[in-house]
Amino acid sequence: MSFRAAVFGLVRRIPRGRVATYGQIAALLGRPRAARAVGRALGSAPGDLPWHRVVNARGGVSPRARMSGMLTQRIRLAQEGVALRRGRVVLSAHAWRGRGTLATRGGLACDWR
DNA sequence: TGGATGACTTAAA
DNA sequence: ATTTAAGCCATCC
């Protein structure tokens, strides 16, 4: 399975009203330093993928070529109850804890602060 | 095969 | 709080 497919699979497990960071996704996939690649993968995500639930380490909507995407992301997040305070998601309140995400491989604790 | 490309991240200034 | 610089990486061409 390609890294990309794995990313999609994991993103689909993020519950409504919750968000994950690029780094978190990468870590959960066993590639703690592939955060950047995660973002790149989302660039070509299927239309039904809840890509809007992925934000950067600071809880903000990462800048991108087209502004429309950022707008959509903010709107979609708001629609499911994820509010942005000063332009950032309050991770302490909406961060996805991804428990049991990788029951198979051990020692993959998502390390975030 | 090799280099370019970002929806990243962290450390430092 | 902001900005810069430098790693890091799966894809794409």
Side-chain angles (χ1 to χ4, degrees), chain A residues 53-112:
Chain A
R53 310 214 251 241
V54 183
V55 298
N56 63 37
R58 292 163 7 189
V61 171
S62 290
R64 46 194 85 170
R66 282 189 256 281
M67 197 77 115
S68 59
M70 301 176 67
L71 237 349
T72 313
Q73 181 161 23
R74 296 201 202 97
I75 296 175
R76 287 170 100 172
L77 282 175
Q79 283 176 163
E80 50 182 73
V82 179
L84 295 160
R85 315 265 287 211
R86 298 185 208 102
R88 340 233 159 127
V89 170
V90 181
L91 293 178
S92 58
H94 298 95
W96 174 45
R97 303 302 177 179
R99 302 175 62 169
T101 303
L102 283 191
T104 52
R105 40 188 8 243
L108 254 193
C110 60
D111 60 333
W112 77 16

Side-chain angles (χ1 to χ4, degrees), chain A residues 33-58:
Chain A
R33 303 178 225 155
R36 197 167 191 171
V38 169
R40 204 172 184 300
L42 291 184
S44 60
D48 63 316
L49 193 86
W51 53 267
H52 60 281
R53 310 214 251 241
V54 183
V55 298
N56 63 37
R58 292 163 7 189

